[in-house]
Amino acid sequence: MKIAFTINGQAQSVDIADGNTPLLWVVRDILHLKGTKYGCGKAACGACTLHVDGEAIRSCSYAVKFAAGKDVTTIEGLGTRENPHPVQQAWMEYVVPQCGYCQPGFIMATAALLEKNPNPTDEDIDNNIVNVCRCATYVRMRKAIHRAAELKQSTSPTTNQ
Amino acid sequence: MKSSRLLFILPPFLFATILLAANMNSTENPSDDPTSNTHPTESDENFDKMMAVLTHQRCINCHPSDNIPKQGEDSHPHYFGMARGAGNMGFEAINCNACHQSENNDYSGVPGAPEWSLAPESMKWEGLSRTEIAESMLDRARNGGRSPHEVLERLTEHALVLWAWAPGIGASGKPREAPPVPVDEYIEAVKAWFEAGAIIPAE
Amino acid sequence: MSEQQGKRKVSRRKFLVRGGLGTIGLLTLGTYVFRNPLRRMGFAAAETLIPPYSGTGTEINLWFEITEANKVILHSPKVEMGQGTFTSLAQIVADELDVDMEQVEVKAAATETGIVDGMSTGGSLSIASLWMPLREMAATLREMIKTEAAAKLQRNVADLNTSAGMVSGGGQSLSYAEVAAGVQEWNVPDTPPLRPTKDYKFIGRPIKRVDLAPKVFGDPIFGMDAEMPDMLHACIIRPEHVGAKFKSADTRKAESMPGVVKVVQLDDWVGVIAESISQALAAKRTIKVEWDIPKQWTEADIRELLQVGKGNKMITQKVGQALEAEAEDVVSMEFTSPIGAHAQIEPNGAVALVKDGRATVILSTQVIGVTQRQVSEALDLPLEKVNIIPTYLGGGFGRRLNTSHAIQAAQMSRAVGRPVKYFFTRKEEFQNDTFRPPTHHIMRGKLTAAGRLEGLEHHYASGDVAINSVIVPQALHSILGTDIGAMRGANLYYDKVPNHRAVQWHTTLPFATSWWRSLGLLANIFAVESFVDEMAIRAGKDPVQFRLDHISEEGFGPRIRAVIAKAGERYRDGVVRGRAMGFAASIDGGSPAAHVVEVSIEDEEIKVHKVLCVFDCGVAVNPDQVRAQCEGSIVMGMSGAMHEKMTLKDGQLYPTIYGPYDMALMRNTPKEVEVVLIEGADTPFPVGEPPMGPIGAAVGNAVRRLTGKRLTELPLR
């Protein structure tokens, strides 16, 4: 079946036999965007988090057929080195990543959070950011999330996705 | 105490029963239909079947009394601290639909059905007796303002309810347990119970 | 140690130009090996000695490349798995080579192109072991460039200066790239004197990680991201039961599933190779495997096997007399820790191509050289025909000290003649991990009338850590007669206790156990420091002073005492507004750490509000990343000590997924984590693991003060 959607602002169409194939594998292996990670395949770790129509989605548990006609954003489309998303900017300011593998998932989850809750409290962060980081970079991540909220409020909305 | 409450909810149900009889049994001979029998013991049997389903973990897991969805056959609290949040859908960036879609996902073992969410706060069933659940279900103040007919429809037709009989496989690849009553039997029993006046047996 | 290191020089060798890749390159021949052989000074040395760095390779090996854009590429023999090594190595190179940070790029060396560490990346040793050789090589390269520049500029070497990748003198200047252009053969001068640490511009500064942008923008840098043209995807069926032996498999249905290219049955495993990973996984679900399961292991079986008093006994520390276990004035307590999983987020896997008598394997591994040997032996290919290309690792933590799954990827590739990518599913990760072994400890102590420790003993039972590991020569265990990994943190540093000893009981368990970040440290220090704290309470002494009273000024004593005293300034006994503090300290690999934690109990759960970590790793090449490692060690240590537990049930290890395998998340992380660094030595010491040591005991000690209850089991509950 042919499935058409927008990814990182570009129209995209994939031809795939099984529409139940997780979006994760379509993004990684067909569209060759490797920033969205496989961690558990069970929607438990959050490494595969991307946005579908602005909502944080765990793409290992999201059949590609559901993406039809929707707007998908991955870490590659969130920001660039020249124009980083406020979350990416804050992540660099606080030097959050260690091994880095889980970080795109955390960054995407945080970006989605800030769209809906521009000034999250510590409790909001605890409730919403439930991805798993084995290096346990949570100490800096919390600081970076607060910083990203600040940056986002002080930058124009056009710098966002 | 129970009977006095029943007085309030009986009249609409008598009305519902008439409607149901007209709507649903038109192709069948009423006299052959065992569910049309309002004999209390058979009504009780229908009630038992219905409640065996509604108190099963497939249903109760999303009708929590503590705002925390439950998971699995042992109804443990949903991992990762998921909770009701605003609109019964979890939190802003990690709502139900971050993982649960409108179908089960065999790759991840994550269950899914249309309108996947926690039942509203007024529909807390976890820990209630069967009688209390039935009362809650029929009480417009708690059931989302539904008429008995709407309740019946919800119970017998809504995809989220019927998902319980096609609950998919879990994260470990093993099938989830379905309620103890086959779906057809359950639907028949629910209909019969409503037709018979939705009489809630005394505890 | 530092004086001895200072005398070592890179021997005079030829540097050659590397051609054909569009870069101007420099190659070094041979390897850098410390002149001093590894000294064996008994168990104490084995625990604290920094082993020499020893590279592999008998062919031309690449350390540095200088590109036409005047950048320096360091081909690192160590991999980057989050510990920040690449950044510190870049700082070291920049300082001694006189280039800016932006001019240094660090790549993990592949077996074909560079020197890979013969042992591993692990033990928190990358910086400590490369500190001297890398500075010497960078300084030597700088001298070579100056010598060559002197010829090109027709000046004396002594008149030339180097800065930011430029050689200048007498109003003229050349970039390093210009100097290197066209050079066919280099003469290597004697290594110049290294600069004093205080003169460094980059070393000792909180430079931002060199891999920051790739990790924030989602670049494809990990093993899981590797691709080769025309690549297929595969998965393997691994046993669910402990000790299960493969009998047979019915793969008929799988073979006809969409996208399936081949189902491979080799030895004791079945692999499904398909056009896409979801097709491979879908086909895998249809395969029925018959296993021979000789025994349904249970948790009780393991506890029965693993006990102080059972297995192979070895006294790993012995001073004075043994305590009389049954005596009335001897206090005795038991402690346990559970099986732990690595749970690194990037699954193990590999992309392999075996064709025309050559094998290329791209993967996340801590053991590049070992993996090369394993693939070479399994596929019967000459070593030099196997190229292992390491990537950035999505977490190591010791799990990737055995990456023999590279063999299966290679075998599958050979079976189809195309590149194959293979990785573990998460369930396979959890059930086929090389687990942190469970432990059992008996602590004994005796107080004098004055409240001093007269005797202190740590009896500890553990499964394999170093024993049976592919990276440790078995001969070493014959010599030492003990598991040096299980021993980490087991020996007591309370050297003023007149009678003290540590006794190891080692048992090989029916499932693989091995290295897990900090090895035996987390569990051993939990037992030792919980017990010492309990003895302080019984002696009616302040826990900080009680510890100091029992540590001498000998050996590492002053550095341990310094971190304890510093952290102790912030420790207060007693319960304030429902919170209590806990204190604990440890030393690992020569790096002492002391933690003060502040804890309350909310909804029957232990909540850690604050952690202060005072840590001494000597020279902190990158203090910001040392802090990051402390923060990570603390929270991962809390996860290990307060949440995680694998259990044997009906012969299988559970759980098999995050969530049920409870780990510390954002909400479990203390809101305040403060790291104070003390530079108690003039060389770098291990960083990545030592700060994990005290955390379990510190939390347990706080709970003891809060509730009066001594927690003796991990995870703490």
Side-chain angles (χ1 to χ4, degrees):
Chain A
M1 65 194 288
K2 253 197 157 51
I3 297 159
F5 51 90
T6 305
I7 185 159
N8 299 332
Q10 294 201 316
Q12 188 61 254
S13 173
V14 293
D15 200 356
I16 192 157
D18 180 6
N20 288 322
T21 301
L23 178 60
L24 169 69
W25 298 117
V26 173
V27 166
R28 284 182 60 83
D29 290 342
I30 297 178
L31 304 176
H32 303 286
L33 295 168
K34 303 291 196 196
T36 309
K37 304 299 184 193
Y38 169 88
C40 68
K42 304 287 176 188
C45 73
C48 65
T49 305
L50 45 67
H51 297 172
V52 176
D53 285 350
E55 300 283 341
I57 294 290
R58 296 193 167 180
S59 62
C60 73
S61 186
Y62 190 88
V64 63
K65 66 187 180 191
F66 294 136
K70 295 195 172 135
D71 191 2
V72 178
T73 306
T74 68
I75 186 79
E76 289 90 346
L78 189 71
T80 60
R81 280 161 165 83
E82 297 71 37
N83 188 16
H85 185 278
V87 176
Q88 291 168 312
Q89 178 66 37
W91 244 244
M92 289 191 286
E93 282 181 26
Y94 280 90
V95 197
V96 174
Q98 290 186 24
C99 92
Y101 192 80
C102 69
Q103 300 287 329
F106 273 98
I107 290 169
M108 295 307 284
T110 303
L113 172 63
L114 296 185
E115 286 302 322
K116 302 190 174 188
N117 183 347
N119 203 5
T121 62
D122 277 342
E123 195 188 343
D124 294 335
I125 293 170
D126 288 346
N127 286 336
N128 278 280
I129 306 302
V130 294
N131 296 19
V132 183
C133 173
R134 190 39 151 170
C135 302
T137 60
Y138 304 113
V139 177
R140 291 179 184 210
M141 231 182 266
R142 181 186 302 282
K143 293 176 187 167
I145 294 169
H146 286 303
R147 174 66 180 143
E150 249 174 54
L151 283 169
K152 193 165 185 301
Q153 282 169 350
S154 64
T155 52
S156 75
T158 54
T159 60
N160 303 330
Q161 41 162 329
Chain B
M1 182 195 155
K2 294 287 168 200
S3 56
S4 67
R5 249 196 230 169
L6 277 177
L7 287 178
F8 290 102
I9 53 174
L10 265 175
F13 276 85
L14 290 173
F15 175 64
T17 309
I18 294 159
L19 274 180
L20 287 167
N23 283 346
M24 291 170 181
N25 295 326
S26 54
T27 58
E28 290 172 27
N29 183 343
S31 59
D32 290 346
D33 185 0
T35 61
S36 67
N37 194 321
T38 56
H39 191 277
T41 54
E42 292 203 9
S43 180
D44 281 358
E45 196 179 304
N46 290 328
F47 181 79
D48 289 347
K49 280 184 183 173
M50 176 175 74
M51 294 318 294
V53 170
L54 300 186
T55 54
H56 187 266
Q57 56 269 25
R58 289 288 85 75
C59 297
I60 288 292
N61 279 358
C62 287
H63 284 261
S65 58
D66 57 359
N67 297 328
I68 294 168
K70 305 301 184 295
Q71 291 179 304
E73 311 309 342
D74 61 350
S75 298
H76 58 260
H78 195 297
Y79 292 110
F80 302 102
M82 295 311 302
R84 180 178 302 281
N88 309 310
M89 286 294 290
F91 303 107
E92 295 107 319
I94 184 82
N95 63 43
C96 300
N97 296 143
C99 305
H100 301 273
Q101 309 307 328
S102 56
E103 292 174 9
N104 295 327
N105 189 308
D106 281 356
Y107 286 94
S108 62
V110 174
E115 297 178 41
W116 191 274
S117 76
L118 223 51
E121 244 185 308
S122 67
M123 302 180 195
K124 291 175 169 178
W125 291 359
E126 188 187 26
L128 299 189
S129 70
R130 300 185 323 160
T131 312
E132 287 166 336
I133 291 174
E135 284 169 7
S136 154
M137 200 168 74
L138 297 174
D139 178 3
R140 273 175 189 264
R142 289 183 280 166
N143 75 6
R146 290 186 176 90
S147 69
H149 181 64
E150 285 165 334
V151 172
L152 172 63
E153 271 184 354
R154 180 92 187 170
L155 288 175
T156 56
E157 292 173 25
H158 196 275
L160 186 56
V161 175
L162 298 181
W163 164 86
W165 284 272
I169 56 170
S172 66
K174 296 196 176 70
R176 284 188 188 81
E177 186 185 298
V181 179
V183 62
D184 292 349
E185 228 175 280
Y186 157 80
I187 291 173
E188 288 296 309
V190 175
K191 286 178 179 172
W193 182 70
F194 272 91
E195 279 176 38
I199 296 162
I200 301 170
E203 280 193 85
Chain C
M1 194 179 283
S2 59
E3 292 142 39
Q4 285 160 354
Q5 284 180 352
K7 290 178 199 141
R8 295 179 193 122
K9 302 274 189 259
V10 173
S11 52
R12 181 181 290 263
R13 294 188 189 277
K14 282 182 178 171
F15 284 61
L16 301 175
V17 173
R18 183 185 191 213
L21 294 178
T23 59
I24 304 159
L26 295 174
L27 287 170
T28 69
L29 263 175
T31 63
Y32 184 101
V33 182
F34 279 18
R35 282 182 193 155
N36 285 357
L38 186 133
R39 293 164 300 162
R40 204 163 63 76
M41 288 164 52
F43 301 136
E47 197 185 24
T48 56
L49 188 76
I50 295 167
Y53 162 74
S54 66
T56 59
T58 51
E59 295 204 350
I60 294 166
N61 289 306
L62 180 69
W63 275 96
F64 298 107
E65 272 181 278
I66 297 176
T67 70
E68 279 172 309
N70 204 31
K71 290 205 166 187
V72 177
I73 300 172
L74 168 68
H75 290 261
S76 167
K78 299 283 189 177
V79 294
E80 175 59 64
M81 49 192 179
Q83 80 281 40
T85 289
F86 276 14
T87 306
S88 296
L89 295 181
Q91 289 172 259
I92 291 171
V93 168
D95 259 330
E96 279 295 350
L97 194 52
D98 280 338
V99 291
D100 283 339
M101 283 302 293
E102 295 72 32
Q103 292 176 292
V104 188
E105 188 189 332
V106 185
K107 281 185 186 169
T111 54
E112 207 164 69
T113 51
I115 294 174
V116 301
D117 191 287
M119 272 171 67
S120 67
T121 302
S124 305
L125 294 165
S126 296
I127 298 306
S129 69
L130 280 169
W131 167 247
M132 187 58 64
L134 188 59
R135 284 187 305 150
E136 288 188 343
M137 278 189 294
T140 308
L141 179 56
R142 186 188 71 224
E143 279 307 294
M144 287 160 55
I145 290 167
K146 279 169 77 175
T147 307
E148 195 57 40
K152 283 192 171 154
L153 295 171
Q154 296 188 319
R155 299 209 156 260
N156 290 327
V157 175
D159 297 337
L160 298 178
N161 289 312
T162 48
S163 173
M166 302 293 289
V167 192
S168 48
Q172 287 178 290
S173 62
L174 288 173
S175 73
Y176 287 4
E178 287 167 325
V179 174
V183 178
Q184 291 298 317
E185 196 166 302
W186 299 76
N187 282 317
V188 185
D190 284 338
T191 301
L194 297 176
R195 291 170 177 159
T197 314
K198 65 175 173 51
D199 291 349
Y200 286 132
K201 276 162 65 185
F202 305 111
I203 292 171
R205 304 271 186 281
I207 305 287
K208 291 214 166 165
R209 291 182 69 107
V210 294
D211 51 4
L212 194 49
K215 288 179 176 178
V216 165
F217 293 99
D219 292 1
I221 58 173
F222 299 99
M224 276 291 284
D225 303 336
E227 285 186 350
M228 289 190 195
D230 199 29
M231 184 176 81
L232 295 170
H233 298 264
C235 55
I236 280 180
I237 298 177
R238 290 181 175 272
E240 295 174 323
H241 286 79
V242 169
K245 298 268 183 306
F246 179 84
K247 267 164 67 180
S248 64
D250 183 352
T251 61
R252 282 168 298 180
K253 175 131 196 251
E255 277 156 25
S256 61
M257 294 276 287
V260 172
V261 175
K262 191 161 190 165
V263 179
V264 182
Q265 256 193 67
L266 268 171
D267 307 327
D268 57 350
W269 56 274
V270 179
V272 183
I273 308 164
E275 295 291 344
S276 77
I277 185 58
S278 33
Q279 287 168 331
L281 290 170
K284 178 184 170 179
R285 287 201 289 265
T286 69
I287 297 178
K288 277 255 179 294
V289 176
E290 290 282 321
W291 302 95
D292 179 27
I293 302 162
K295 182 173 165 62
Q296 299 263 350
W297 289 93
T298 65
E299 194 72 12
D301 292 332
I302 299 303
R303 284 293 155 197
E304 178 65 28
L305 264 181
L306 191 103
Q307 273 185 44
V308 168
K310 291 197 173 168
N312 191 28
K313 179 186 179 184
M314 177 59 66
I315 300 175
T316 55
Q317 188 187 34
K318 183 180 178 182
V319 175
Q321 300 301 308
L323 290 169
E324 282 178 49
E326 305 304 321
E328 252 182 36
D329 53 356
V330 170
V331 181
S332 185
M333 293 184 85
E334 285 187 57
F335 297 86
T336 60
S337 77
I339 308 163
H342 286 92
Q344 82 292 341
I345 312 290
E346 184 194 18
N348 282 293
V351 178
L353 173 60
V354 180
K355 218 177 175 182
D356 306 329
R358 296 182 62 82
T360 306
V361 186
I362 310 175
L363 81 167
S364 293
T365 178
Q366 293 174 253
V367 282
I368 304 152
V370 173
T371 304
Q372 183 191 31
R373 285 200 296 279
Q374 287 176 326
V375 172
S376 144
E377 280 164 24
L379 276 79
D380 199 19
L381 288 171
L383 196 63
E384 64 274 13
K385 296 288 186 190
V386 176
N387 187 22
I388 305 293
I389 304 172
T391 60
Y392 278 92
L393 277 59
F397 315 113
R399 175 60 186 90
R400 297 185 218 272
L401 289 167
N402 184 347
T403 48
S404 58
H405 49 267
I407 295 170
Q408 283 139 349
Q411 283 169 329
M412 287 191 282
S413 171
R414 184 151 74 178
V416 291
R418 286 169 66 179
V420 167
K421 180 182 209 164
Y422 152 61
F423 62 87
F424 286 52
T425 63
R426 186 50 56 183
K427 185 179 175 189
E428 289 163 347
E429 281 287 337
F430 273 107
Q431 295 197 320
N432 295 270
D433 196 358
T434 52
F435 298 93
R436 186 187 70 218
T439 60
H440 175 231
H441 313 252
I442 295 177
M443 296 295 309
R444 289 195 192 110
K446 186 179 172 183
L447 290 167
T448 64
R452 292 283 295 246
L453 278 168
E454 189 183 312
L456 184 63
E457 294 182 2
H458 178 210
H459 304 257
Y460 59 107
S462 170
D464 297 345
V465 175
I467 286 178
N468 292 322
S469 163
V470 290
I471 61 167
V472 179
Q474 290 308 302
L476 185 63
H477 290 123
S478 314
I479 295 165
L480 297 176
T482 189
D483 190 310
I484 54 168
M487 194 179 69
R488 286 273 285 273
N491 291 355
L492 306 163
Y493 57 84
Y494 295 106
D495 59 347
K496 280 174 82 178
V497 180
N499 305 292
H500 64 273
R501 62 180 56 204
V503 184
Q504 182 181 90
W505 296 87
H506 171 263
T507 300
T508 295
L509 296 170
F511 49 89
T513 63
S514 193
W515 320 91
W516 190 96
R517 189 179 190 173
S518 92
L519 319 185
L521 186 73
L522 184 69
N524 285 328
I525 296 298
F526 167 62
V528 171
E529 283 291 283
S530 294
F531 185 74
V532 167
D533 193 72
E534 190 61 36
M535 294 307 275
I537 291 171
R538 291 182 189 215
K541 297 283 170 73
D542 171 78
V544 177
Q545 191 56 47
F546 187 75
R547 284 173 171 82
L548 290 171
D549 287 345
H550 293 98
I551 303 168
S552 80
E553 294 285 351
E554 304 291 313
F556 287 104
R559 290 177 58 216
I560 306 171
R561 292 177 61 91
V563 297
I564 290 177
K566 183 79 190 165
E569 290 171 11
R570 298 268 284 277
Y571 178 81
R572 298 287 173 273
D573 239 348
V575 179
V576 182
R577 288 189 296 277
R579 293 186 184 185
M581 288 189 182
F583 186 93
S586 66
I587 179 161
D588 181 45
S591 296
H595 294 172
V596 181
V597 301
E598 199 174 307
V599 163
S600 71
I601 295 184
E602 291 170 17
D603 300 330
E604 295 177 26
E605 266 184 44
I606 304 168
K607 189 154 179 65
V608 180
H609 300 274
K610 288 186 189 177
V611 179
L612 166 72
C613 165
V614 179
F615 182 56
D616 173 9
C617 62
V619 172
V621 172
N622 188 322
D624 178 63
Q625 283 307 298
V626 172
R627 287 171 197 283
Q629 287 302 297
C630 290
E631 292 160 8
S633 284
I634 288 164
V635 182
M636 183 174 170
M638 282 176 54
S639 188
M642 301 171 67
H643 297 269
E644 298 173 28
K645 181 181 182 168
M646 295 295 295
T647 312
L648 264 169
K649 205 172 74 189
D650 306 328
Q652 293 191 35
L653 279 152
Y654 291 99
T656 63
I657 185 70
Y658 300 108
Y661 189 72
D662 186 23
M663 288 161 68
L665 301 178
M666 181 76 80
R667 64 164 58 88
N668 308 108
T669 300
K671 298 284 190 292
E672 288 178 58
V673 176
E674 183 185 346
V675 177
V676 175
L677 300 179
I678 294 180
E679 196 171 307
D682 60 2
T683 56
F685 280 78
V687 171
E689 298 164 289
M692 188 181 271
I695 191 69
V699 173
N701 294 344
V703 172
R704 167 71 172 83
R705 281 167 175 72
L706 201 57
T707 65
K709 195 177 163 206
R710 172 58 64 190
L711 299 179
T712 59
E713 275 178 41
L714 297 185
L716 302 168
R717 265 164 201 164

